[in-house]
Amino acid sequence: MKAWTILAAAATLTLFGTSTGLAARTDLVLGMQLEPPHLDPTAGAAAAIDEVLYANVFEGLTRIGPSGEVLPALADSWAISDDGRTYTFKLRSTVKFHDGTDFDAEDVKFSLDRARAADSTNAQKALFAAIDTVEVVDPVTVKVTLKQPQGSFLYNLGWGDAVVVAPESAPTNKEKPVGTGPFKFDNWAKGSAITIVRNPDYWGEPVALDRAEFRIVPDAASQVPALLSGDIQAIPNASIGDALPQMQSDPRFKVVLGSTEGETILSTNNKKPPFDKLEVRQAIAHAIDRKAIIDGASSGIGTPIGSHFSPANKAYVDLTGTYPHDLAKAKELLKQAGLENGFSATLKLPPVPYARDGGQIIASQLRDVGIDLQIIPVEWADWLKQVFTDKDYDLSIVSHTEPNDIDIYSRKDYYFNYDNPAFDKVIEELNLTSDEAKRTELYKQAQKILADDAVNGFLFELPKIGIWDAKLEGLWENSPIQANDLTKVKWLD
Amino acid sequence: MIAYLAQRLLVAAATLLAASLVVFAMLEVIPGDPARLMLGMNATPDALEALRNEMGLNDPLPVRYLDWVAGMAALDFGRSYTYSVPVIDLIVERIVVSLPLALISLALSVVIAIPAGAFAAQRRGRAGDALSMGAAQLGVAIPNFWFALLLIYLFAVWLRLVPAGGFPGWSAGIWPALKALLLPAVALALPQAAILARVTRSALIETLGEDYVRTARAKGLPFGTVLWRHALRNALIPVLTIVGLQFSFLLAGTIIIENVFYLPGLGRLVFQAITQRDLIVVEGVVMLLVATVVAVNFLVDISYAVVDPRLRAR
């Protein structure tokens, strides 16, 4: 009944607005290619879940801002003990969940304990591994004690997987998400669209939009006509390929080329001969021409990378010159490895255009130095099983889209099969350091080690192509975290 | 007749049971872990294990098969792994899009194809025949997704008569919902109509050679009347067979058109379920289609018996 009243009010407002021409539009339809499997950010890795709900419906103690910075959210402020192990969060006191229940310290404790419990199905459970205890001091104060200091703890709490949920609604969030954010969930027509509406009881600055609909447009070829016909007013993450110049020259639309956190790499099985030899990996690095790959696999858009790190991050160092494109050098290195006649290997490619197109280009580039790649296309489910879980592969191409994920190279048994104690030490130190300048320095060291070891072929940072109505403003240019934050979005009239 | 009916029913039930075993076994051997797909590359082993338990993937295979079959007998198709709602709800949500779409495009296809085929048969070997069969050839050859995009650019982007895609739901009113189904129905109907027109033409030409046609002509009936009143009715058997086949195709085989128009239909549900390894949904939809085909065949068998008394006596 209540939702109905709000809807009716919203509809009246919209009607009023358009008929008088005084007020700006307050509704928005966004297009997205993949539909979320469910609507609980704490129980799934699909980017589409966060792209609908993060910052809009759900909030955490902290949040990640448009340039990747950590901002306060449900926690107003915090204090960190001198040993870096105890975090005391002061919570906002006037917050209510969308179902009307109060938000307090108990909800924070519930959410963090649930995410790290033995039966937790949190896709990023490792984010919470450092937590030792969570204590409720009073209704607006929570004390979190860590097993050891963790420099990235506040950042980790800003992930979509760390949002605060209520014990009453947590079991049903997959179908009917209940958060504390400026929008409330309204309706999910499966296969079609998800609608959120303004939360009139929001604790913070109210949003300009009354209603936003995320419409699923699975076919890339349908995205352009959907925009042109006005059915959809924004596609924050478009994959329109050749139609890009057409949209760029159309004054009705804004085309924004930004960056994601997706390091696109030629994943290499570092334990499998001959890739266990540094010379072979260096030879591959020298044989790769990043520009040709970006031109062919990403419509010429995307920043070349020389290590596993996002160019948007302030600790980024450009290491693309470590092993420049040099076929003679590559052949020379293969000779040193005793493979002057070349060798053959397989290249397993997941069903994404950058991998399928990039794979063909890389295969032809490596053929020039005598490496003969057999391309094996695989489905995602198959890729996760064969390549990622069973490590049954030589080479693959994939984009690692998690933000700040250089630490995956220190994980034992990760599918790269990379093992370098010197690198592990840097990551360990990074975990224990919270001083920004020192962390930047350590990040730089880590990038350098990976580049020198040529662990994987480092190709390019996956771009984010956003297209929206020229009268719309406030959508993110980059995606430091997978999200479509609508809190600052509004129509200009 | 009773014995015949009972026998046909038994065959239908056995077909369904056999199909369930094949479908289940085939999907179980496909590699891929639904839990891993859900939790992604950063998931810890214990989180994966917890989710597999929650999804019931750790039960032994025979137990899962029996649970599934027993459930279906009571119209309970299980719960989707990814959406975690009952599979039957998902199917019902999609069928309210797919069924009307299939019916509209089938009707369009019949309305276009039968006159076109009859027209061609009537003017066999003349310009009209060449023209309509040439058009049919084109209809078969044009990829329907491309034709769909042409329709979108013309009617949605340029003329703005209909939306470029999407489905507002029947709750938005009959007219907006029908408008959303119009272009996809046309895009689907065209190649079907082309096939059907060719079948109609050749069936008609065959019946036009029959003795009773000559008799009708001999008693002085004009050619047009003979064709439309006598020959066409008798030529309808192969046409109806094709229409039946097309219906089952249109119900779930329209994945490409559903993608182009982003319609939430059955085809997209299956496709999405396969890529996400939501096997229980795939199994449910496939079984539903098997049941549809079995039911249609059952009805056809019965109608044969009604038409042909010799079958009843057996």
Side-chain angles (χ1 to χ4, degrees), chain A residues 127-374:
Chain A
L127 290 180
F128 312 96
I131 299 179
D132 189 26
T133 58
V134 183
E135 290 163 66
V136 173
V137 179
D138 62 58
V140 291
T141 315
V142 175
K143 196 164 93 185
V144 180
T145 312
L146 305 181
K147 293 172 191 148
Q148 70 274 338
Q150 189 180 36
S152 57
F153 185 62
L154 289 171
Y155 185 90
N156 291 354
L157 289 179
W159 280 59
D161 307 81
V163 296
V164 176
V165 296
E168 299 86 359
S169 45
T172 50
N173 274 344
K174 282 185 174 177
E175 273 295 295
K176 192 180 177 306
V178 173
T180 56
F183 289 95
K184 330 202 252 193
F185 168 76
D186 179 52
N187 180 46
W188 181 11
K190 289 204 185 61
S192 192
I194 297 162
T195 313
I196 57 177
V197 293
R198 189 204 334 240
N199 169 15
D201 305 319
Y202 185 52
W203 58 267
E205 193 189 324
V207 286
L209 294 176
D210 279 324
R211 156 187 193 86
E213 179 185 330
F214 294 88
R215 201 172 289 174
I216 320 297
V217 186
D219 195 280
S222 309
Q223 294 184 351
V224 174
L227 284 165
L228 289 177
S229 68
D231 287 358
I232 286 173
Q233 297 99 43
I235 301 186
N237 222 329
S239 51
I240 60 167
D242 298 340
L244 193 63
Q246 181 201 343
M247 298 308 286
Q248 276 171 320
S249 63
D250 193 325
R252 290 172 295 169
F253 299 99
K254 238 187 296 195
V255 176
V256 181
L257 303 179
S259 174
T260 67
E261 289 291 310
E263 288 79 31
T264 312
I265 58 172
L266 175 70
S267 318
T268 308
N269 193 341
N270 278 247
K271 279 219 176 89
K272 185 150 180 197
F275 304 104
D276 54 341
K277 288 203 179 87
L278 178 62
E279 292 86 358
V280 172
R281 299 197 304 268
Q282 286 171 329
I284 292 175
H286 277 300
I288 287 173
D289 176 3
R290 293 188 183 91
K291 186 171 179 313
I293 295 167
I294 294 171
D295 284 347
S298 184
S299 310
I301 307 158
T303 314
I305 51 170
S307 185
H308 196 103
F309 214 70
S310 164
N313 195 305
K314 57 186 183 312
Y316 172 77
V317 245
D318 184 355
L319 294 164
T320 48
T322 313
Y323 302 110
H325 182 54
D326 185 344
L327 296 184
K329 198 76 198 284
K331 285 181 188 155
E332 163 92 32
L333 283 160
L334 282 177
K335 203 168 167 189
Q336 280 177 34
L339 290 163
E340 56 267 51
N341 296 325
F343 63 93
S344 14
T346 59
L347 175 61
K348 289 189 174 167
L349 299 176
V352 273
Y354 67 76
R356 293 279 165 93
D357 297 344
Q360 305 215 351
I361 299 167
I362 285 187
S364 92
Q365 290 177 353
L366 294 194
R367 198 172 302 126
D368 292 342
V369 296
I371 302 172
D372 186 30
L373 293 185
Q374 186 204 346

Side-chain angles (χ1 to χ4, degrees), chain B residues 28-229:
Chain B
E28 286 306 324
V29 297
I30 297 180
D33 174 3
R36 170 63 86 180
L37 272 168
M38 181 72 97
L39 295 187
M41 309 201 337
N42 269 358
T44 57
D46 52 337
L48 286 173
E49 195 53 30
L51 186 61
R52 275 191 213 111
N53 264 329
E54 205 181 286
M55 290 173 163
L57 288 171
N58 284 339
D59 295 338
L61 270 188
V63 173
R64 282 168 50 206
Y65 175 70
L66 289 178
D67 277 355
W68 178 59
V69 171
M72 271 193 304
L75 275 184
D76 173 10
F77 287 67
R79 283 182 94 79
S80 157
Y81 298 154
T82 37
Y83 287 127
S84 53
V85 293
V87 174
I88 190 78
D89 292 0
L90 288 175
I91 292 179
V92 169
E93 268 169 24
R94 301 304 177 101
I95 252 185
V96 300
V97 181
S98 283
L99 192 64
L101 180 61
L103 290 174
I104 297 173
S105 40
L106 200 64
L108 269 177
S109 147
V110 169
V111 165
I112 299 169
I114 292 187
F119 177 80
Q122 198 174 359
R123 286 167 183 70
R124 188 182 178 190
R126 287 193 272 155
D129 181 21
L131 200 72
S132 56
M133 283 306 107
Q137 192 70 47
L138 204 66
V140 175
I142 290 178
N144 61 1
F145 65 89
W146 182 75
F147 181 61
L149 282 173
L150 286 189
L151 288 176
I152 293 176
Y153 274 103
L154 179 60
F155 291 103
V157 175
W158 196 46
L159 297 173
R160 297 212 172 194
L161 291 175
V162 286
F167 187 70
W170 292 104
S171 56
I174 301 258
W175 179 232
L178 279 180
K179 239 165 79 173
L181 294 181
L182 204 62
L183 287 191
V186 171
L188 280 173
L190 182 83
Q192 306 298 336
I195 297 169
L196 207 56
R198 290 158 62 104
V199 172
T200 310
R201 176 182 175 272
S202 53
L204 254 179
I205 285 174
E206 205 173 301
T207 40
L208 284 175
E210 297 283 341
D211 290 345
Y212 64 84
V213 172
R214 201 179 40 212
T215 313
R217 286 285 280 148
K219 76 176 181 188
L221 281 180
F223 182 63
T225 317
V226 175
L227 183 120
W228 290 99
R229 296 250 326 256

Side-chain angles (χ1 to χ4, degrees), chain B residues 1 4-5 8 236-242 244-245 295-314:
Chain B
M1 185 67 190
Y4 177 76
L5 263 182
R8 291 286 92 190
L236 275 183
I237 306 293
V239 173
L240 286 178
T241 313
I242 299 287
L245 288 174
V296 167
N297 280 349
F298 181 71
L299 288 178
V300 170
D301 282 348
I302 304 269
S303 63
Y304 282 164
V306 171
V307 174
D308 189 344
R310 283 171 301 181
L311 277 170
R312 265 179 269 168
R314 251 208 323 217

